[in-house]
Amino acid sequence: SKENVVIFHTTALPGSLHPTNDISGEREFIFRYTHMYLLNNDLMNRSMRPQLVKAMPEVSADGLSFTYELVDNATWDDGSKVTVDDVIFTLKANRCPFTANPDSRVYLDDLKDMVRDAANPNKFTIVCVRKYMNNVAMLTDVPILQRAFYDKNNVLAKYTIPQLNDAALVMQKPTDLLAWANDFNDAKYGTDLAYIKGLGAYEVVNWEKGQTLTLKRKANHWTSKLADVNPHETSFAERIIFKINTDENSAKLEFKSQKFDGTNLLSTRALRELQGDANFNKNYHSFLVPTYAWAYLVFNMKPDGVKRKKFFDDKNVRRAIAMLVPIDDVIRTVRAGNGMRIAANVSPLKIKEFDSTLKVLPLDITEAKKLLDAAGWKDTDNDGVRDKVIDGTKEQLSFEFMIPGGNPAAADMAKIIAEGIEKGGIKVNIVALDKALIDEKARKHDFDMFFGQWGGNSFPEDYTQLWSTKEWVSGGSNYPGFGTAETDALIDSIKYSVDENARFAYSKKLQRIIYNEQPYVFLYAPKRCVALHKRFGNTVMVNDNPNVMLNYLSLLRADAKGVVKSEPVN
């Protein structure tokens, strides 16, 4: 195609585009083009950047107040100026207890209040409950909404943020607030094109459920008038069309016939096959892009000893297993080379935060056997499987390894891993289950070991969800049962340290503890398979999701002299 239209391959579209009440990766991808934020994720530089404010905040001496000033030229589609009223409304809409957004409301749990500046109508201060490293980053999850569109009667102006934070308001059930929330929660704001409104340079103009979603560049959007345009505020393509194709073979054919302009969702095998085609390579840039996600095997460190035996309560056993897993073989054979070995729980892409002194464990069967011997696991009856007396009962080192069912790649990987572990005199029983059931068992501590993958981004790590002991007690995401009072205190020091150098020092200390305790076998950081057509310039690949910047793709054309130039914004 010679049209200035990007047709992007995907395997799923969001169920809803409601501005607060839904959460999915597909929705966030669309929002990058249809909405704008006070601060956003600078994909190219792996950092936060101001978008609707002039600069990063001025921080008070106590680290609890953050002062911002809105840019002067941001306007809504009706021509009205973006104001502090819109920011206040947005925060209130997200914190209102009657807004149906339990998954996203927590992003603003530390929001105490927002105060206008008496002298400058574009200036405001956000006040937080406590020091927390993400008191700034939380704003990157909150698209700014137009008060006049979503709250025509200005109902939320009657309530302060502290009032909306007060649990007593739920019991009071104010009728006007309930009426506003009832309308705001209506599905129309996420599915009816007439009610899907955002500040971004693109708008949704067509949505065929289960097939395509089309974004169109807005005429005369305020960003098109900026003298110095950041790549995140560009809108070179006239339209961006997201098109679903879940059949990999069909998708490969569409790339070979140049029906798609890009993707970030091909499998490694599919991309490798396409890269073997000369015409594909002639027409497309394609890359395996490193990401912040990481794949793992997780141990149950605190089993009940009855339903789940005490196989992995000794770190020597956990380290032995890690040294028996042939991770390089998994990456080479099952993942076609797609994967970067990792030593611990922080991506090496986070240069400042990652502890580079930690090295990936080698494949070392001899050393693994020594560790198992030291832990008391020996083959006393010569049946080929190590055993040990635990709580008065002789137990074989024979455990259950759960993997997601219906996934041939996971099955192939599990077979290689099991064969490697069994070389240490251990019996591995592979059990394929529905992923939802694995998640349920993990939260109930009903497992021995299972395979999984965590996502990630370029922002500083908050270790609470995965590593706090409270998350194990409450059935949260601390699946292995890792942690002590010391590590909990360290996690709090990381969360509430405003000084970056101190925070990273704490983070590296925690990484070393995790590395030594080995609650996981840290496998690899997967790479995202990305392809973009060469008819566009600015084909930038980035590490953060979604790994591409479709708004920045600029159509290339040759002038009368054959000089290739990028298509202008408008």
Side-chain angles (χ1 to χ4, degrees), residues 85 88-93 95-98 112-114 116 151 153-166 168-170 172-181:
D85 281 341
I88 293 175
F89 165 75
T90 299
L91 297 180
K92 288 181 177 179
R95 289 304 296 169
C96 176
F98 304 113
K112 183 178 181 180
D113 205 354
M114 177 172 159
R116 301 171 183 270
D151 187 8
N153 297 322
N154 209 9
V155 173
L156 267 64
K158 303 174 186 177
Y159 299 88
T160 66
I161 290 175
Q163 284 176 313
L164 294 170
N165 284 340
D166 190 345
L169 190 66
V170 177
Q172 296 169 10
K173 298 181 179 179
T175 55
D176 57 346
L177 193 58
L178 281 170
W180 170 82

Side-chain angles (χ1 to χ4, degrees), residues 75-277:
T75 56
W76 297 103
D77 294 348
D78 60 10
S80 62
K81 190 177 183 302
V82 177
T83 67
V84 170
D85 281 341
D86 295 313
V87 179
I88 293 175
F89 165 75
T90 299
L91 297 180
K92 288 181 177 179
N94 277 272
R95 289 304 296 169
C96 176
F98 304 113
T99 299
N101 65 333
D103 292 321
S104 60
R105 186 186 299 130
V106 295
Y107 295 149
L108 295 174
D109 272 353
D110 285 304
L111 174 66
K112 183 178 181 180
D113 205 354
M114 177 172 159
V115 182
R116 301 171 183 270
D117 187 278
N120 185 341
N122 284 343
K123 208 167 186 179
F124 59 93
T125 297
I126 288 178
V127 183
C128 294
V129 175
R130 54 187 175 176
K131 289 184 180 180
Y132 177 41
M133 65 178 188
N134 283 333
N135 280 340
V136 175
M138 66 182 181
L139 298 178
T140 63
D141 291 313
V142 184
I144 299 303
L145 310 178
Q146 186 178 18
R147 195 281 306 166
F149 179 77
Y150 288 103
D151 187 8
K152 293 179 174 59
N153 297 322
N154 209 9
V155 173
L156 267 64
K158 303 174 186 177
Y159 299 88
T160 66
I161 290 175
Q163 284 176 313
L164 294 170
N165 284 340
D166 190 345
L169 190 66
V170 177
M171 303 301 295
Q172 296 169 10
K173 298 181 179 179
T175 55
D176 57 346
L177 193 58
L178 281 170
W180 170 82
N182 185 57
D183 176 71
F184 183 67
N185 290 332
D186 194 290
K188 65 185 179 186
Y189 289 110
T191 56
D192 188 332
L193 301 192
Y195 289 89
I196 298 177
K197 300 292 182 181
L199 188 54
Y202 290 90
E203 60 183 335
V204 183
V205 293
N206 186 57
W207 190 355
E208 298 176 46
K209 296 298 176 67
Q211 298 183 55
T212 63
L213 186 148
T214 301
L215 305 181
K216 182 180 179 182
R217 186 177 65 204
K218 297 175 181 176
N220 301 315
H221 189 260
W222 66 273
T223 54
S224 67
K225 304 176 181 67
L226 295 175
D228 183 21
V229 183
N230 183 283
H232 292 83
E233 274 76 67
T234 57
S235 52
F236 291 129
E238 294 173 4
R239 284 179 292 152
I240 300 173
I241 300 173
F242 295 89
K243 182 180 177 182
I244 290 180
N245 189 329
T246 57
D247 183 88
E248 194 164 85
N249 291 323
S250 172
K252 287 187 294 186
L253 290 174
E254 293 210 69
F255 274 100
K256 289 180 178 180
S257 60
Q258 301 181 66
K259 298 290 180 63
F260 284 128
D261 292 307
T263 184
N264 63 350
L265 286 177
L266 285 176
S267 72
T268 309
R269 288 176 178 173
L271 183 62
R272 292 295 194 201
E273 182 179 322
L274 286 170
Q275 288 175 330
D277 182 277

Side-chain angles (χ1 to χ4, degrees), residues 204-406:
V204 183
V205 293
N206 186 57
W207 190 355
E208 298 176 46
K209 296 298 176 67
Q211 298 183 55
T212 63
L213 186 148
T214 301
L215 305 181
K216 182 180 179 182
R217 186 177 65 204
K218 297 175 181 176
N220 301 315
H221 189 260
W222 66 273
T223 54
S224 67
K225 304 176 181 67
L226 295 175
D228 183 21
V229 183
N230 183 283
H232 292 83
E233 274 76 67
T234 57
S235 52
F236 291 129
E238 294 173 4
R239 284 179 292 152
I240 300 173
I241 300 173
F242 295 89
K243 182 180 177 182
I244 290 180
N245 189 329
T246 57
D247 183 88
E248 194 164 85
N249 291 323
S250 172
K252 287 187 294 186
L253 290 174
E254 293 210 69
F255 274 100
K256 289 180 178 180
S257 60
Q258 301 181 66
K259 298 290 180 63
F260 284 128
D261 292 307
T263 184
N264 63 350
L265 286 177
L266 285 176
S267 72
T268 309
R269 288 176 178 173
L271 183 62
R272 292 295 194 201
E273 182 179 322
L274 286 170
Q275 288 175 330
D277 182 277
N279 282 326
F280 175 81
N281 293 327
K282 176 184 176 181
N283 294 314
Y284 290 88
H285 300 287
S286 60
F287 301 91
L288 292 175
V289 183
T291 68
Y292 294 95
W294 47 279
Y296 60 80
L297 307 175
V298 58
F299 299 111
N300 187 344
M301 296 168 56
K302 293 183 177 180
D304 59 10
V306 180
K307 186 174 184 180
R308 296 293 174 178
K309 305 300 181 180
K310 297 178 181 179
F311 296 131
F312 304 123
D313 57 343
D314 187 325
K315 68 179 180 181
N316 283 330
V317 177
R318 301 192 294 269
R319 182 157 294 253
I321 298 290
M323 298 180 81
L324 290 168
V325 175
I327 302 173
D328 290 324
D329 288 349
V330 170
I331 295 172
R332 184 178 64 256
T333 59
V334 179
R335 298 195 54 78
N338 179 352
M340 175 175 62
R341 287 289 306 272
I342 54 172
N345 57 303
V346 174
S347 169
L349 295 174
K350 297 188 174 184
I351 298 173
K352 291 183 179 180
E353 190 166 5
F354 170 68
D355 188 343
S356 60
T357 67
L358 304 179
K359 306 301 180 184
V360 296
L361 294 177
L363 180 65
D364 193 332
I365 298 173
T366 300
E367 181 61 26
K369 288 180 177 179
K370 290 179 181 178
L371 290 171
L372 291 168
D373 288 342
W377 289 98
K378 300 178 181 180
D379 185 5
T380 62
D381 50 14
N382 297 314
D383 65 352
V385 180
R386 293 174 181 267
D387 54 75
K388 180 182 178 180
V389 176
I390 303 175
D391 299 331
T393 302
K394 181 179 175 181
E395 302 285 358
Q396 279 196 323
L397 188 46
S398 173
F399 67 87
E400 184 178 276
F401 174 24
M402 298 191 304
I403 63 169

Side-chain angles (χ1 to χ4, degrees), residues 477-529:
S477 300
N478 183 354
Y479 300 145
F482 168 86
T484 61
E486 177 192 2
T487 57
D488 283 348
L490 195 53
I491 289 169
D492 285 343
S493 295
I494 295 167
K495 288 173 61 174
Y496 304 128
S497 178
V498 178
D499 179 78
E500 185 180 84
N501 291 328
R503 186 168 71 245
F504 288 161
Y506 294 139
S507 178
K508 290 178 180 179
K509 182 177 180 181
L510 181 63
Q511 289 173 60
R512 288 192 291 271
I513 294 173
I514 291 170
Y515 181 84
N516 290 328
E517 289 296 319
Q518 201 74 50
Y520 288 80
V521 177
F522 297 98
L523 297 175
Y524 53 80
K527 297 178 182 180
R528 181 69 70 88
C529 297

